[in-house]
Amino acid sequence: MTDGPIAAACADGRRTLTEAEGKRLLADAGIETPPFALCGTAEEAVEAAGDIGYPVVAKVSAPSVTHKSEWADGAGVAVGLDSAEAVRGAAGRIFEAAADRGVEAEVLVEAAMDVDAGTEVIVGGLRDPSFGPVVLTGLGGVFTEVFEDTSHRIAPIDAAEARAAIEELQAARLLEGYRGSDPADVAALAEVVATVSDLVTDYPIAELDINPVLASADGAVALDALVVLENEATTSTADSAELEGQR
């Protein structure tokens, strides 16, 4: 059950997956993410950017950093990097900012996505004390807390039910195309919602937030991911490790 990225977090006694671990979990489940690489130095970041292709985004990656965009000086994220020099400078600033905060970090370099080419949607899941696994979708990005336009379902659900949840949203009209824009691939978005419902049902996940998912005519891509495990997941792993050490 806790194989792969979840097992890595449990082995470290962590409840929160890094963004890279979260995206690997999503990719393993069939959800598309931008190509990315984890880098330990600025030069590795430059090499990764060259392999991925410009422009790229650079982000701080560390188990203790769950909201990198909230770093006061903005040093946790750099976007629109279109040259080796830009990547080298951004990575250097990220490493320096992490060191100033006492954080041992890597730099995540990933392909930059054109958010203007689609609609930002939030897809999430959680374990409700009363209802158990629940999945939600709604208008994402910076508008999530402004408009509070979300639709909920008790998980697990299939793609048909996920699509029905999407069509309940006021923001559904944005997905249909407007002012000459192409309609989004709602079927692909529905598959993301259904897959998230399976993840929170089948794995010891307390909270899973993908914000945003970029829904466009080309499909649905998870641009960010936050995964928090249940307490029992890390506790059971730690207990197993202790028993193994006593043998």
Side-chain angles (χ1 to χ4, degrees), residues 4 12 19 34-35 49 60 65 81 87 100 117-118 126 131 140 152 161 165 201 207 209 216 221 236 238 245:
D12 291 340
E19 181 180 346
V60 62
V65 180
L81 306 176
V87 172
D100 289 344
L126 56 83
F131 299 104
H152 300 75
E161 183 65 16
T201 300
E207 177 184 355
D209 288 324
S216 71
V221 184
S236 61

Side-chain angles (χ1 to χ4, degrees), residues 203-220:
Y203 290 87
I205 294 174
E207 177 184 355
L208 194 165
D209 288 324
I210 313 174
N211 189 18
V213 175
L214 183 63
S216 71
D218 297 325

Side-chain angles (χ1 to χ4, degrees), residues 12-29:
D12 291 340
R14 291 186 280 117
R15 289 189 60 208
T16 303
L17 273 63
T18 65
E19 181 180 346
E21 290 170 336
K23 284 182 173 175
R24 285 170 181 152
L25 177 69
L26 298 181
D28 288 346

Side-chain angles (χ1 to χ4, degrees), residues 139-163:
L139 190 62
V142 297
F143 298 111
T144 300
E145 297 179 1
V146 176
F147 294 106
E148 298 182 346
D149 180 19
T150 57
S151 179
H152 300 75
R153 291 290 191 279
I154 295 176
I157 61 174
D158 60 17
E161 183 65 16
R163 182 156 190 156

